[in-house]
Amino acid sequence: MTGFSPEWLALREPADGAARNRDVLSATSRLFENKDAINVLDLGSGSGSNLRALAAHLPLHQKWALVDYDCDLIKAARTALSGWANEAAYVGESLSLQKDGRVIDVAFLQADLSANLNEVLDGPADLVTAAAFFDLVSTDWIERFVRGLAARKLPLYAVLTYNGEESWKPAHPSDATVNAAFNLHQRTDKGFGPAAGPAAAGVLAAALRENGYEVVLGDSPWRLTSADHLLFEPLVAGIAAAAGQTGKVAPEVLQAWRNAHRSPTACVIGHTDLLAIPPR
Ligand SMILES: C[S@@+](CC[C@H](N)C(=O)[O-])C[C@H]1O[C@@H](n2cnc3c(N)ncnc32)[C@H](O)[C@@H]1O
């Protein structure tokens, strides 16, 4: 398990929402502008923030399948989505939501995407999406995923894939060393084989193009300011812990780096958004 807590996902949700690339989002929305209804498959759905960010940009009737292997996050998604909607009702294990004129039915699927990818892709879908997910998977898994996607001629909207860039204000002399170690850690196995990490968006785009897809890419960096102070402590602690695990940075250097970034005035964490449109 990669172990993402609902608290961490809730803390990052506003930053993720602000970071989404507007051009890639608009292009995704335009793909479905003449439809009344859509089936969406969300991979690594966590507590459902991708649905909350995307619903207003998709047709009035939506059926979502939220896929995650972490049952605590599936539970958190039910709670968060019920709280977010104007009205929410359980229909068996699924949720039926009304939100600002949209009717959104949500099914929850607990599945390990490293093992059960094809079964998941066989579900009804007009769009596959994922947020903050693709940097966890391996190049081999991406290639398998793209073959499955292409065989079904499905479009993909994959957002907030970490791309390795980080900058801090005020800067610290160890920023580059810590960033390099963190990016090394990003390439370790997160359950799918050695992770593509910061290279993931590029690997994904290349595999999609090889399969005839038209690919639209856009930057979606977190641009954090002192107003995001609640995010800084877990963010800095998480980066330092991951960098420390590589053995590439001495503990005293990491401690000095953590101390220096207790209350930064600005921080940029780079991500990439991607829309892939299948060939006709
Ligand atoms: C960084 S979180 C992103 C969650 C959510 N998409 C968001 O943007 O808030 C990555 C998600 O992928 C899920 N995940 C990781 N490995 C998985 C696997 N093998 N099968 C299914 N879900 C997985 C985690 O449980 C977590 O919810």
Side-chain angles (χ1 to χ4, degrees), residues 27-43:
T28 305
S29 183
R30 277 198 303 278
L31 270 189
F32 302 100
E33 65 189 350
N34 296 321
K35 309 265 185 213
D36 295 328
I38 186 172
N39 286 292
V40 187
L41 182 60
D42 186 19
L43 306 179

Side-chain angles (χ1 to χ4, degrees), residues 6 50 75 129 136 141 146 174 179 212 251 261 277:
N50 199 20
K75 227 182 270 172
T129 185
L136 302 175
W141 190 90
V146 171
S174 300
N179 183 219
H261 291 318
I277 304 164

Side-chain angles (χ1 to χ4, degrees), residues 142-143 145-151 153 204-214 277-279:
I142 288 175
E143 284 167 359
F145 167 74
V146 171
R147 281 198 299 275
L149 199 71
K153 293 200 183 310
L204 184 58
L208 287 158
R209 287 186 179 119
E210 269 167 34
N211 280 271
Y213 277 76
E214 178 191 338
I277 304 164

Side-chain angles (χ1 to χ4, degrees), residues 2 4 44-46 49 68-70 73 111-114 131-133 136 192:
T2 40
F4 295 95
S45 48
S49 78
D68 209 290
Y69 68 171
D70 184 330
L73 287 177
D112 181 351
L113 287 162
S114 69
F133 174 73
L136 302 175
F192 296 85

Side-chain angles (χ1 to χ4, degrees), residues 172-175 177-178 249-259:
H172 184 267
S174 300
D175 282 347
T177 310
V178 174
V249 195
E252 60 277 15
V253 174
L254 275 176
Q255 192 55 53
W257 183 83
R258 278 187 72 164
N259 292 342

Side-chain angles (χ1 to χ4, degrees), residues 35-38 55 58-62 99-104:
K35 309 265 185 213
D36 295 328
I38 186 172
L58 293 177
L60 289 178
H61 296 271
Q62 302 174 20
K99 176 70 175 173
D100 300 341
R102 285 178 165 71
V103 177
I104 306 168

Side-chain angles (χ1 to χ4, degrees), residues 168-255:
W168 299 87
K169 267 193 193 142
H172 184 267
S174 300
D175 282 347
T177 310
V178 174
N179 183 219
F182 178 68
N183 286 345
L184 199 61
H185 187 272
Q186 287 293 106
R187 305 201 73 131
T188 58
D189 192 339
K190 310 290 189 311
F192 296 85
V203 171
L204 184 58
L208 287 158
R209 287 186 179 119
E210 269 167 34
N211 280 271
Y213 277 76
E214 178 191 338
V215 176
V216 183
L217 292 168
D219 292 334
S220 52
W222 281 356
R223 293 189 189 285
L224 307 178
T225 68
S226 45
D228 301 294
H229 57 95
L230 291 178
L231 202 53
F232 282 130
E233 195 191 328
L235 175 66
V236 169
I239 292 173
Q245 280 170 28
T246 65
K248 300 279 182 197
V249 195
E252 60 277 15
V253 174
L254 275 176
Q255 192 55 53

